[in-house]
Amino acid sequence: TATTAIFQSALNTYKVVYAPKGTYNICNLQFNADSQVLLGDGVGNTVFQCSTASQNIINLVGLINNNEVGRFSCSRTSSITPTLPGACIGNSNADTTQWGGAKIHDIQSNNDYNGFMLGMTNFAFGWNLDAENSYNDGFFFFGDATNPLQWNLTNVSVGKPNANCFEISLTNIQTPLELWNGVFTFNCGSRGIY
């Protein structure tokens, strides 16, 4: 979309991008370099909405490190029913790619397919995260036998997903998930943690 292109250009040009209060049509915004930062004006104040069913709203891609995203809400527009794995925050590289040092915080995801889709990392942090009304899983984690999946999560809540509040898809996992503190699940469609 035109708004995505504006934010993408800013993110490609500057290391830190601020999104003031407002609602923005954002689909598949790509983090593609180390140490990029995107911060909004707070949950409910800065809102990123995606008008397609299958793309991540914000995508952390490839071998990048020390990125930070936070202080916003994200959702699909009301006429969209997600049908494929799209997330508020996604790492689309479900291959042998890993990334490290990510910080995702103060984010509410609403009406996404998966609220958050988090992949392989040697260390990453998430705090004050909320996934509501996901069409599939609130949080979907994936890992493999080669790369670590080390997420340190604090103050995380999931409510009313159609499937699992947390799904952890692992194939002979090398390194287990790290510390989870203050993780809450409510009205899970299937399981709390699967």
Side-chain angles (χ1 to χ4, degrees):
T1 67
T3 308
T4 303
I6 291 167
F7 273 91
Q8 189 66 64
S9 176
L11 200 58
N12 292 345
T13 305
Y14 306 102
K15 285 292 188 181
V16 178
V17 175
Y18 168 69
K21 183 177 181 178
T23 298
Y24 305 94
N25 188 5
I26 300 287
C27 296
N28 204 30
L29 183 64
Q30 303 277 331
F31 277 65
N32 47 30
D34 289 349
S35 304
Q36 292 175 309
V37 176
L38 174 64
L39 297 175
D41 200 39
V43 169
N45 292 326
T46 299
V47 179
F48 296 140
Q49 285 189 330
C50 184
S51 57
T52 65
S54 61
Q55 292 181 316
N56 294 328
I57 295 175
I58 296 175
N59 207 6
L60 301 172
V61 181
L63 291 168
I64 58 175
N65 295 286
N66 303 313
N67 299 99
E68 180 179 358
V69 291
R71 299 179 12 202
F72 57 84
S73 301
C74 56
S75 67
R76 303 290 153 173
T77 53
S78 59
S79 60
I80 297 294
T81 300
T83 56
L84 294 171
C88 171
I89 304 294
N91 173 1
S92 65
N93 293 279
D95 50 27
T96 58
T97 303
Q98 70 177 45
W99 42 288
K103 299 174 193 71
I104 59 173
H105 60 89
D106 303 293
I107 301 171
Q108 182 185 53
S109 171
N110 194 27
N111 296 323
D112 276 305
Y113 186 80
N114 296 307
F116 297 86
M117 197 166 86
L118 305 176
M120 295 164 276
T121 176
N122 50 10
F123 63 98
F125 305 90
W127 65 94
N128 300 335
L129 305 174
D130 180 36
E132 299 292 331
N133 304 307
S134 301
Y135 285 83
N136 191 47
D137 300 321
F139 281 73
F140 179 79
F141 297 87
F142 54 87
D144 65 18
T146 306
N147 295 293
L149 181 64
Q150 297 180 338
W151 279 94
N152 186 320
L153 299 178
T154 303
N155 194 23
V156 173
S157 63
V158 180
K160 297 186 279 188
N162 285 335
N164 307 299
C165 282
F166 292 87
E167 180 173 345
I168 304 168
S169 177
L170 307 176
T171 305
N172 301 317
I173 188 67
Q174 178 208 33
T175 306
L177 291 160
E178 289 207 339
L179 175 68
W180 288 14
N181 183 24
V183 175
F184 303 96
T185 62
F186 306 95
N187 299 324
C188 301
S190 183
R191 301 172 181 90
I193 298 178
Y194 175 64

